[in-house]
Amino acid sequence: MSAFRSATLMGGPPRKDLLGRLRETQIVDTKPVLPAEVLSLIMDHLAVCDLLHFARVSRRMREMVYDDTRWVRRLQLIGCWNEAAARAGAEESRRMILEAIHAEELKKTGIGVVTATTAIGGTSADRKSSVSGLNVGKLQGPQSQLNVIPSGGLGSSDNDGFDFVTLSPNAPEFTPVDQPLDTAAVLEVVARARSTRGSAKLEYGRVHGVLYPYYKDALRSKHPSNARIFRIYRDPVQQAQMLSQLVKFANSDLTQGWQARQEKLTQMVSAFENAIAREFEQGLKLGDVDGRMKKYANVLVTLNGGRRAIDIFISSNPVIRDRAALGDPLDCISLNNADHLFLEESHAFFDHLSAAFNAQASIIDRVFPTSVDVIVPFLQRIGEVIIATYFKTLFDSIHGKSMESYVRAVSGIYEQCLRFAKVMQPTQHSGDEFCGAIDRLVMDTFAPYIDTYFAEELAYFKRRSEIEVSGWERQLSQQDASLESMYMTNVNRQADKRDFLASFKKVVMMPVNVLPTFPITSRFGGKSTTAKALVNGDTLDTPQNTLTTDSTRPGTPNPPSAPALLISRTTTPVSEPPTTELAAKAAIMKSRLEGIRTLFSLEVALNLVHMAKGSIERTAVFAKAGGKFGEDARNLCELIFNILLRTLGDRHVRAGFDKAVDQLAKYNPRAASDQNQPGVAPLVMFLELVNVGDLIQQMLDVFYEQELVATKLTDRNDFLNPTVQEKKRFEQMLDERVAAGLNKGIEVLMAEVEFICATTQNVEDFNPGATGMVIHKVVDISPSNTAIWIVEVVSAHTKMLVGSTDKNMLDVFNQEVGLRLFTTLCKHLKRQRVSVSGSVRLISDMNHYFMFIQSLKNRDLLQYFKALRELSQIYLIDPTDAKELATIIADGDRFHGIFRAEEVYEFAERRADWYQVKSRVEKAMYGIGCCIM
C-alpha cells in the first residue's frame, strides 16, 4: 500500500497552481493493522455486498476482493466449477494469443521478409505495440467477451476501485431483480455457469444475482407454500429444479447465521420432498408405472438425486414384501434322513427369485431416469434380506445334522448362486457396475460360511478315507480269522501227534498241490486308458477275458466299470475241512498265498480317488471367486490330494507291499511248488501286486492331470509346491517297495530254478550211459527239458513286468535275474558229470540260455552267457587232446575275463573222463613231470 495519500483540504476550492498543491501535501505514514491472512479469513465470511464495499477501502483491499481464487472457491461450493474445463480454456486462449502475436510480427516485417530479430520475437517495443494492437477479447473466445465501461460511468465515483462490468451481447446479461426474468433461463443458471479463469467473479455474480432473491424470499416466507418459487413455478419438476439450485447456492453462504438459514431451507425442501414421496408411493401401490411413478420419480431425482424414491421403491417392493412365497429353505432337508439333500428346492427358489428380479428390472427402466442407479441398491437389499436369510436358515439347520449334506449344500448352492447371477438382467444403463455388484453379492452372502466349509470339507474327507482303509483292514483280519477257524475245526491234535513227523515229511518232501493253478497273466494292466476310465468311472467295453497280443506281456482283462470292480480274496474251494493239523496249516498257507494280491485293494484306491474327486470338485467351485477365498480353495484342493497320497501310500500300499514281501520271504518253493505249471506262484502273485500298484499310480497321475493341472488348481512346474513333492514321495515309496519285493522275488525265483535243476535234470542228459544201461541211439542235440523249463519260468516272470514298471527298473530287474541265473547255472554245472557225447546237449542248453538272455537286450549281461557258452566247449574236447584242453583252460581272454583259469579248471574237473586226462592236463598247464636238464 502506498505511503502517500492526499490530505484533507480546508476552506474553499484549491488553487490551480501545481506547487501550491505539492506544498499542501502531507506525508502520512500508515501501516496495516491486520496481516493479509486475517483479512482474507474475514473476507471469507462477508456477504457479497459487503465484499464490494470492502473493496473500495483501498487498492490492496480491492486486489484481495477481486482475487479470482476467492470466487472460484464460492463456485466450487455451489458445485458449478470445472477445473479441467478452466485449464483447457486457459491453454486455448494462451495458444491463440501467441499465434496472433506471431502473425502480427510477421506482418510488420513485410511479406516474406523475416529478420533475425523479428524471428526471435522482435524488439520489446515492437512486441508491446503488437500486443496492444490485438483484440484480446476476440482471441479469448465467447467465454470471455466482456464490455468494460471505464470508471465514472453509470454514476460510479472516481476512486471506488471498481469498473462496472456488463456481459457482452452474446452472453447472458445481469437482470435486475425487479425486472421480469426468463423463468426457463433461471432454471439452468447453475448448469450454465462457465469455468473461465479470470472471470470467476463475474460468473458468481451472475448466479448470485439470479438466485439470491429467491433464496432471500424463501428464508423470509412463514410457510413453504408462500415462497416465491411455488408462486412463479407450478410444475413440480421446475419447483424441484429451483429448490435444488437454492440448496447448492446456500452452500456458498458463509456469513453469520448460515446454519439457521440452511436449516430453514432444508425444512422447506423436506416438506416438498415428503409431498412428492407420498405421491410416488401412492402410484407404486396403484401400479401406475408410466404415470405417477415415472413423473414423481423424475421430480425426486431432480430435487436431490432420488434417494427417497429409491428407498420407497425398494422397501415397498413386492419381491421383498412377499419373499416367503419364493421358497422355504427347510424343504431342502429330508425329514427322515438328514443325509438326503434336495437341491431341487433351492434351484426352484433361485428360479423364482430371478424371474421376480428381472420383472422389477424392467419396471426400473420405465420409472427412473438413466442418470439414477436403482438396480444396484435393489440388488444389495435382496442379498441382505432374502438370499442371506435363506442361506443362514438352511446352513444352520443342516450343519448339526449331517456333515455330508452340509458340504454338498454349501458347494451346490454356491454353484446355483453363480448360475443365478448369470441369468439376472441388468437395467438398460447399469453398465459394468451391475456385474461387480453381482459378484460382491455372491461373495458377501457366502463369506460367513466359506471358512467353515473348507474346514468341514477337509475333516469330512479325512474321516471317509480313514473309514475306507480301516474297513478294508478289518475285513482282511476277519477273513483270516474265520478261515483259520474253519480249517482247524476238525483237527484231533492228540490223535495226530504220533504221526506228525511222518505227515510233515510227506508234505514237505513230496510235491503237493498247495497252490492253485495261476495263469501267468496280468490281472490289471498298467495302461493309461484303463486308469483314466477308472478315475472317471467310465465303462470299459473290453471283454473281460480278452488278451492283447501286441504287448510283450500277456494282455490283461479290463474291469467292466469302477462300481463293479471288487478285488476280493479268492480262495480255492475246499470240499471238506482238513482233518490233520499239518493239512490245516498247509491249507492256511495256501490261502494266504492266494490272497497276496489283496493286501491292498484296487477297489479301496478307486473309492478314495472318487471321494477326493468329489471333494476337490466341490472345493474348486470356490476357486473361481478369486482373491483370498480363491487362493484358499486352491490350497485346500492341493491339501486334499496330498492326504489322498498319504492315505494310499502310508496306510494302504506301503503296508500291503511290506506284508507281501514278508510272506514272500517266508515262502519255501521246495515245500510248496506245483510242478504242473511253469511259474513261481508267490512271485507271480507279487508281480500282480506290482501291476495293481502301477495301475493305482497311473490312476493318481490321471487324477492329478485332470482335476488339478487341467483346472489350474496347481502348477506342476513348481518344484517347491507341496503337492509336487508329495507326489514324488509317493512314487519313490512305490519304487522302493517294488524294488524290495522284486529282490525277494528274485531269490524265490532262483530257488525255484535250483529246485527245477535238482529235481528234473536227468543224470544221462549230459553223461549218456551213466546208469549202466547202454543203448545205442542217435545223440539228442536239442536242449534238455530242464533248460526249457527254466527258460520258460524265468521268461514268464520277466515279461510280467513289461508295462507295469519303468524301463530303468525293468533293466535292473532283468540284469539281476540274469546274473543270479548265471550263478545258479554255474553251481548246477559243477554238480553234473559231463561226457564228450553228452557235451553236445550241454552246449545246446547253454545256447538256449544265451538266446533267452539275448532277448532281454542287455549287452553287459550277454557277456556272461557268452563266456558260459564258451566254457561248455571244454567238455567237447577228446581225451586224447589233453594239451588242447589245457590251452583252453589257461586262456583267460577266451572267457572275456569272467572266468579265471582256476575256475575253468574246476569246471573241467566235472568231465566224466577227468581222472584219465588229469595228469596230462596238469602237465601241460603246470609242467608237472618235467626235469631240468
Side-chain angles (χ1 to χ4, degrees), residues 26-80:
Q26 297 179 1
I27 300 176
V28 180
D29 187 12
T30 61
K31 295 182 179 180
V33 180
L34 296 175
E37 292 80 3
V38 177
L39 292 175
S40 178
L41 184 61
I42 294 174
M43 292 179 187
D44 290 339
H45 294 81
L46 293 179
V48 175
C49 58
D50 295 333
L51 280 174
L52 297 178
H53 289 92
F54 193 75
R56 303 177 67 177
V57 173
S58 65
R59 183 178 300 172
R60 182 188 181 195
M61 295 301 103
R62 177 189 176 187
E63 291 176 354
M64 295 182 66
V65 171
Y66 277 33
D67 186 10
D68 198 60
T69 58
R70 185 176 311 282
W71 306 101
V72 168
R73 179 172 178 271
R74 289 181 177 262
L75 290 176
Q76 289 176 345
L77 292 175
I78 297 176
C80 57

Side-chain angles (χ1 to χ4, degrees), residues 450 453-454 458 615-616 618-642 704 707-709 711-715 721-723:
I450 290 182
Y453 164 76
F454 287 162
L458 183 61
S615 296
I616 290 178
R618 287 193 297 268
T619 307
V621 177
F622 295 93
K624 304 175 184 177
K628 177 181 180 299
F629 290 140
E631 185 65 23
D632 292 343
R634 285 188 288 271
N635 293 336
L636 180 59
C637 291
E638 293 180 347
L639 182 58
I640 291 175
F641 183 73
N642 294 344
Y704 177 74
E707 300 296 328
L708 294 177
V709 176
T711 55
K712 298 181 180 180
L713 295 175
T714 188
D715 183 10
N721 191 299
T723 302

